[in-house]
């Protein structure tokens, strides 16, 4: 049976620059089934889900549902649910957590402040505090969005959970199901695709030590997609694999030659910087973006050689 992930893997579609964009992630535990549009198609009150989605627009916050791996008890009204917020910007990463009995309290949050990296209001509104658990690994398993996420993501989440050493959750759509199994690591916000248990172990252990593994990396959610690709290009060129070594400081449209790409400036914390040309490049062979979709030439972020600034 052919799937979108199989087709993408056979074509070796590039992963760089495909991560969902979010400066801050707001994660809400929700047991039971998830629909294609999970925030409004689960046992979370759809009015609350819709309001959160609407209020997050333009704030830098992405809202997603999470649940523990394994069989999903269909609990319509859990006594309480875990809520996590994670900010991903280099030098300012954090994770805050709390348990919430009434998800309507989430509507009291100042999402613009949360997106800018301020958690004091989140703490005050929900009684939250710092997260002190194992590395946070979130595996996309939303099969209603795409079957690859269930077929490939759920076994990976179960394996990671059984192995221990990480706080593994299943998460709703984080984009790029054709790269399944996909996952997100917080607080740094690095997303990965086509993962295996062995590869995930290396990624998690490296990030716990403050290092980024570039293989399989889709990018850091902090940045827009051209910036994600540019940052990874600089990492590969310079060997700067410290998680907070690099920051995207500027992205400009690049009109050279009438193109529609970007010129991205990536800075190292030691003061060096590089300009990276990035262009949208359509694949020569068409492939479906998701299972059941018509094959189309998918576009990826093609980063050129970084030039010292």
């Amino acid at each position: 049976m052919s799937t979108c992930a199989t087709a993408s893997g056979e074509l070796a579609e590039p992963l760089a620059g495909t991560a969902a964009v979010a400066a801050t992630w707001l994660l809400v535990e929700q047991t039971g089934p998830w629909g294609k549009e999970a925030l409004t198609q689960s046992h979370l009150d759809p009015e609350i889900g819709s309001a959160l989605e609407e209020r997050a627009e333009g704030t830098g916050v992405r809202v997603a549902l999470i649940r523990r791996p394994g069989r999903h008890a269909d609990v319509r009204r859990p006594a309480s649910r875990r809520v996590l917020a994670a900010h991903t910007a280099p030098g300012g990463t954090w994770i805050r957590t709390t348990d919430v009995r009434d998800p309507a309290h989430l509507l009291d949050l100042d999402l613009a402040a949360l997106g800018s990296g301020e958690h004091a209001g989140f703490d005050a509104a929900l009684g939250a505090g710092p997260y002190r658990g194992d590395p946070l690994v979130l595996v996309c398993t939303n099969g209603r969005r795409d079957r690859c996420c269930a077929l490939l993501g759920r076994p990976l989440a179960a394996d990671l959970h059984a192995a221990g050493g990480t706080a593994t959750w299943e998460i709703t759509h984080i984009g790029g199901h054709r790269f399944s199994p996909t996952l997100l690591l917080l607080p740094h916000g690095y997303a990965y695709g086509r993962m295996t248990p062995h590869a995930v172990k290396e990624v998690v252990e490296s990030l716990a030590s403050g290092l980024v593994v570039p293989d399989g990396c889709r990018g850091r959610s902090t940045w827009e997609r051209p910036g994600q690709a540019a940052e990874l290009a600089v990492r590969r060129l310079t060997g700067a694999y410290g998680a907070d070594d690099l920051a995207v400081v500027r992205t400009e449209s690049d009109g050279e030659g009438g193109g529609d790409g970007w010129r991205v400036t990536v800075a190292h914390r030691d003061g060096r910087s590089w300009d990276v040309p990035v262009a949208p490049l359509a694949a020569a062979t068409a492939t479906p973006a998701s299972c059941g979709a018509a094959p189309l030439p998918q576009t990826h972020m093609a980063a050129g050689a970084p030039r010292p600034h």
Side-chain angles (χ1 to χ4, degrees):
M1 177 178 64
S2 180
T3 65
C4 65
T6 300
S8 177
E10 289 175 348
L11 290 174
E13 272 194 281
L15 294 172
T18 65
V21 178
T24 302
W25 290 82
L26 178 60
L27 309 174
V28 183
E29 183 179 9
Q30 180 56 61
T31 57
W34 298 333
K36 181 178 180 180
E37 304 296 335
L39 283 175
T40 55
Q41 296 175 344
S42 73
H43 292 331
L44 178 68
D45 184 330
E47 292 188 4
I48 294 175
S50 178
L52 283 172
E53 195 167 40
E54 181 179 338
R55 294 180 188 190
E57 189 71 28
T59 66
V61 175
R62 183 166 176 133
V63 186
L65 302 184
I66 57 174
R67 62 191 177 197
R68 291 294 190 184
R71 296 187 63 185
H72 303 131
D74 193 0
V75 180
R76 291 180 175 270
R77 293 182 180 274
S80 66
R81 64 192 76 211
R82 181 66 55 88
V83 175
L84 297 125
H87 189 61
T88 67
T93 59
W94 47 255
I95 303 177
R96 313 295 289 184
T97 186
T98 189
D99 289 322
V100 172
R101 297 185 65 86
D102 183 355
H105 292 315
L106 297 171
L107 301 181
D108 297 330
L109 295 176
D110 182 344
L111 296 186
L114 205 59
S116 69
E118 299 174 14
H119 60 70
F122 178 82
D123 294 352
L126 302 180
Y131 172 78
R132 304 189 188 280
D134 290 327
L136 203 57
V137 181
L138 303 116
V139 183
C140 181
T141 63
N142 192 353
R144 291 288 185 179
R145 189 84 181 197
D146 190 277
R147 63 184 177 181
C148 288
C149 298
L151 292 173
L152 302 175
R154 291 198 66 191
L156 178 62
D159 287 347
L160 292 173
H161 182 67
T166 64
T168 304
W169 294 83
E170 298 185 6
I171 188 171
T172 51
H173 183 56
I174 57 173
H177 12 260
R178 68 186 186 277
F179 308 127
S180 294
T182 62
L183 55 85
L184 174 73
L185 290 95
L186 294 174
H188 296 94
Y190 280 99
Y192 284 80
R194 303 190 187 117
M195 283 286 99
T196 65
H198 177 76
V200 173
K201 181 180 179 183
E202 181 186 3
V203 166
V204 172
E205 289 178 350
S206 295
L207 267 177
S209 301
L211 299 174
V212 175
V213 174
D215 293 341
C217 190
R218 301 175 61 197
R220 189 169 189 158
S221 74
T222 322
W223 320 123
E224 297 289 337
R225 287 171 177 166
Q228 296 172 14
E231 185 220 60
L232 290 171
V234 172
R235 288 195 184 279
R236 291 184 181 278
L237 174 71
T238 64
Y241 294 133
D244 287 347
D245 281 352
L246 302 177
V248 175
V249 296
R250 185 167 53 254
T251 301
E252 300 175 327
S253 296
D254 188 355
E256 292 184 12
D260 56 356
W262 304 268
R263 184 170 64 254
V264 181
T265 303
V266 178
H268 195 289
R269 57 183 171 183
D270 66 9
R272 292 177 293 163
S273 63
W274 298 262
D275 282 340
V276 185
V278 180
L281 184 63
T285 303
T287 187
S290 59
C291 290
L296 295 171
Q298 303 300 326
T299 300
H300 70 273
M301 298 289 109
R307 301 187 293 266
H309 194 262

